[in-house]
């Protein structure tokens, strides 16, 4: 990547300040709702640093400082340092398996003292996006080439496997979103279709009798074959695909029973309606849905949410922060928050498409994919559309590691974008 120094300007003249404003808005939404979620009448000040809301203020201020430092860096360093950042992150992921502190059943944090903890898996997301962008933007690298595809896949899979060992299933799944980056860079849409079909077969095979699913596959295959009866090569591929699908259906139950832990299966069973929640494994989600539903159109008001005030929802300042928004700010407030996320994602995609350097474009799509996946899964979990998975809501959930990592993810993009006109090639 090369730059025309004559076109360099002060970073604040070229920064996309609309995106910065959205970022600050989401941070403020998070701060006030964390204050509501864990409000302590004995420590009412939102700037009490012994509380989560006081600490979140520190995280926000330090996040802004981190973002400003990134904007002051030389853009070319971001690409040059991508491998080093990735290696350091992998080392931290290995280190956390040795000396990590267990929280909520996951050994995912390194204790820094003073009540502060570092979660390396959060930083692995932007590190992976950086190295993936560095590799895919290299000369003669095409995602359609098997070797290039495998190397790109290995870049994504290495941190996934280390995070899975913690085990942190939510953060592990986030890396799957990077398939959209590969798709944008030329991966065949048939790959996404196949993945979508396998997910559909997996879910339907759990809900319905396996033989019903197999009969449906046979009927669909027959009808499609009759409609393309003159295309024998395509019919042959169709039959092979049907055979693989039937084999997959038979494998679903063994994979489900042996590949997931019992509490994970229980959560999925409750969401899919396969069993009644007799063991209260869906307690968190039920309370979250009650909180969101009780908010009505306009909400109960700031610090007035009863579900929130009386701590009915566990992890309400982190994984279930959206139910605080729903209860106290209602449907209207929820729509505003969703609108901010939608605006942010559209803005990032717009930024991605105006980049002159492939590295910047690929990184931008990586950032969009990670943020989109977090928002989708977290909110779907809070309203009961998906099983409970420990995954924060970007810029809103409590936590320094989460806020800092998303800040770095976003501000690296803003820095790359601010210098897009100075890029000659890359």
């Amino acid at each position: 990547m090369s730059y025309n120094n004559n076109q360099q300007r002060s970073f604040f003249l070229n920064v996309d300040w609309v995106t910065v404003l959205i970022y600050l808005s989401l941070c403020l939404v998070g701060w006030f709702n964390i204050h509501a979620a864990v409000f302590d009448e004995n420590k009412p000040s939102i700037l009490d640093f012994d509380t989560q809301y006081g600490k979140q203020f520190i995280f926000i201020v330090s996040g802004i400082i981190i973002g400003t430092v990134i904007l002051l860096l030389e853009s070319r360093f971001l690409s040059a340092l991508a491998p080093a950042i990735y290696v350091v992150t992998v080392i931290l992921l290995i280190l956390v398996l040795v000396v990590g502190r267990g929280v909520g059943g996951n050994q995912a944090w390194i204790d820094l003292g003073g009540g502060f903890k570092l979660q390396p898996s959060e930083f692995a997301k932007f590190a992976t996006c950086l190295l993936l962008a560095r590799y895919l933007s290299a000369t003669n690298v095409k995602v359609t080439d098997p070797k290039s595809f495998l190397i790109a896949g290995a870049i994504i899979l290495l941190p996934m496997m280390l995070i899975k060992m913690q085990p942190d299933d939510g953060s592990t799944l986030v890396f799957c979103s990077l398939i959209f980056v590969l798709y944008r860079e030329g991966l065949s849409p048939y790959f996404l279709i196949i993945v979508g079909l396998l997910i559909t077969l997996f879910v339907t095979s759990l809900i319905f009798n396996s033989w019903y699913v197999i009969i449906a596959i046979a009927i669909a295959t027959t009808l499609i074959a009759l409609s393309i009866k003159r295309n024998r090569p395509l019919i042959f591929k169709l039959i092979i695909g049907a055979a693989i699908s039937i084999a997959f259906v038979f494998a679903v139950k063994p994979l489900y029973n042996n590949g997931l832990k019992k509490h994970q299966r229980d959560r999925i069973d409750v969401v899919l309606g396969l069993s009644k929640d007799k063991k209260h494994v869906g307690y968190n989600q039920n309370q979250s849905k009650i909180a969101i539903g009780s908010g009505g159109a306009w909400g109960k008001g700031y610090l007035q949410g009863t579900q929130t005030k009386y701590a009915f929802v566990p992890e309400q300042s982190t994984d279930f922060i959206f139910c605080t928004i729903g209860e106290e700010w209602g449907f209207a407030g929820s729509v505003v928050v969703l609108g901010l996320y939608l605006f942010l994602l559209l803005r990032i995609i717009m930024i991605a498409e105006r980049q002159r350097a492939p590295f910047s474009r690929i990184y931008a799509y990586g950032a969009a994919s990670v943020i989109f996946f977090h928002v989708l899964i977290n909110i779907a979990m809070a309203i009961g559309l998906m099983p409970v998975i420990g995954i924060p809501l970007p810029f809103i959930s409590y936590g320094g590691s989460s806020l800092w990592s998303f800040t770095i993810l976003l501000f690296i993009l803003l820095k790359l974008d601010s210098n897009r006109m100075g890029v000659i090639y890359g």
Side-chain angles (χ1 to χ4, degrees):
M1 188 178 290
S2 177
Y3 300 85
N4 185 340
N5 292 327
N6 294 328
Q7 294 181 10
Q8 292 286 349
R9 299 178 181 178
S10 299
F11 77 89
F12 55 84
L13 294 178
N14 298 318
V15 171
D16 191 288
W17 290 107
V18 174
T19 302
V20 174
L21 182 60
I22 299 171
Y23 161 79
L24 293 174
S25 299
L26 288 169
C27 288
L28 287 175
V29 168
W31 186 31
F32 283 107
N33 280 282
I34 290 168
H35 181 236
V38 294
F39 179 72
D40 185 347
E41 292 182 352
N42 296 318
K43 299 178 179 180
S45 173
I46 198 171
L47 291 174
D48 190 320
F49 300 125
D50 290 329
T51 64
Q52 285 190 356
Y53 34 92
K55 291 178 181 177
Q56 189 69 7
F57 175 75
I58 296 175
F59 297 149
I60 292 172
V61 172
S62 55
I64 293 172
I65 294 172
I66 291 170
T68 303
V69 170
I70 291 172
L71 293 177
L72 290 170
L73 292 175
E74 182 67 51
S75 295
R76 72 186 72 188
F77 292 152
L78 297 172
S79 175
L81 293 176
I85 294 171
Y86 182 86
V87 170
V88 170
T89 304
V90 168
I91 292 172
L92 288 174
L93 289 174
I94 295 172
L95 183 64
V96 80
L97 296 174
V98 180
V99 301
R101 178 179 174 184
V103 178
N106 297 335
Q107 189 171 327
W109 285 264
I110 296 175
D111 196 342
L112 300 178
F116 293 94
K117 300 183 294 292
L118 183 71
Q119 188 176 5
S121 60
E122 291 295 331
F123 298 94
K125 296 165 189 175
F126 75 79
T128 303
C129 289
L130 274 174
L131 187 60
L132 188 64
R134 164 73 180 263
Y135 175 69
L136 292 178
S137 62
T139 306
N140 298 324
V141 171
K142 294 183 179 180
V143 75
T144 52
D145 176 63
K147 180 181 177 181
S148 298
F149 177 76
L150 289 174
I151 293 175
I155 291 171
I156 299 170
L157 284 174
L158 178 56
M160 281 184 70
M161 291 188 296
L162 292 172
I163 294 169
K164 176 63 178 175
M165 292 170 65
Q166 294 177 1
D168 184 353
D169 295 325
S171 294
T172 301
L173 288 174
V174 170
F175 289 83
C176 296
S177 66
L178 296 178
I179 190 175
F180 294 113
V181 178
L182 303 182
Y183 171 70
R184 172 60 181 82
E185 294 306 306
L187 185 67
S188 172
Y190 290 113
F191 190 89
L192 292 179
I193 293 172
I194 290 171
V195 172
L197 286 174
L198 289 176
I199 294 173
T200 302
L201 282 176
F202 187 87
V203 174
T204 53
S205 297
L206 291 177
I207 297 176
F208 303 104
N209 184 290
S210 297
W211 287 107
Y212 294 158
V213 179
I214 291 170
I215 291 171
I217 292 172
I219 293 173
T221 302
T222 302
L223 292 175
I224 296 172
L226 289 173
S227 66
I228 56 173
K229 56 186 178 180
R230 294 183 180 180
N231 192 332
R232 291 186 179 181
L234 188 57
I235 291 176
F236 178 75
K237 293 179 181 179
L238 181 65
I239 294 173
I240 295 297
I244 294 173
S245 297
I246 291 172
F248 180 75
V249 170
F250 280 120
V252 165
K253 291 293 176 63
L255 287 171
Y256 183 66
N257 293 326
N258 299 316
L260 297 177
K261 296 179 180 179
K262 188 177 185 304
H263 73 275
Q264 294 171 326
R265 297 197 303 271
D266 289 340
R267 290 173 179 175
I268 294 173
D269 287 345
V270 170
V271 171
L272 296 180
L274 299 176
S275 65
K276 294 183 179 179
D277 192 14
K278 295 180 180 180
K279 298 180 180 179
H280 303 291
V281 295
Y283 174 82
N284 292 18
Q285 268 187 337
N286 291 334
Q287 295 300 322
S288 176
K289 289 188 287 185
I290 291 171
I292 293 171
S294 67
W298 303 105
K300 297 176 181 177
Y302 187 54
L303 299 179
Q304 301 303 312
T306 52
Q307 289 289 111
T308 297
K309 183 183 295 185
Y310 298 110
F312 282 105
V313 185
E315 309 297 337
Q316 193 162 348
S317 64
T318 53
D319 298 344
F320 286 92
I321 189 69
F322 187 74
C323 72
T324 304
I325 297 170
E327 182 177 28
E328 300 201 344
W329 303 103
F331 178 76
S334 299
V335 169
V336 169
V337 171
L338 289 173
L340 284 171
Y341 279 123
L342 178 60
F343 193 16
L344 175 63
L345 289 168
L346 291 175
R347 194 76 186 176
I348 292 175
I349 292 173
M350 182 201 74
I351 290 172
E353 291 300 329
R354 72 187 183 192
Q355 299 308 304
R356 300 170 66 184
F359 173 82
S360 302
R361 182 189 67 245
I362 296 167
Y363 178 83
Y365 272 97
S369 298
V370 170
I371 293 173
F372 169 75
F373 193 89
H374 267 269
V375 174
L376 175 67
I377 300 301
N378 181 279
I379 294 179
M381 176 188 69
I383 62 179
L385 294 180
M386 291 195 68
V388 175
I389 300 174
I391 187 171
L393 192 58
F395 311 111
I396 290 182
S397 290
Y398 170 76
S401 293
S402 173
L403 181 60
W404 292 338
S405 66
F406 279 115
T407 298
I408 295 170
L409 180 77
L410 185 62
F411 275 76
I412 286 176
L413 172 61
L414 292 175
K415 177 56 187 178
L416 293 172
D417 178 63
S418 71
N419 198 50
R420 67 186 183 278
M421 298 309 294
V423 177
I424 298 175
Y425 64 87

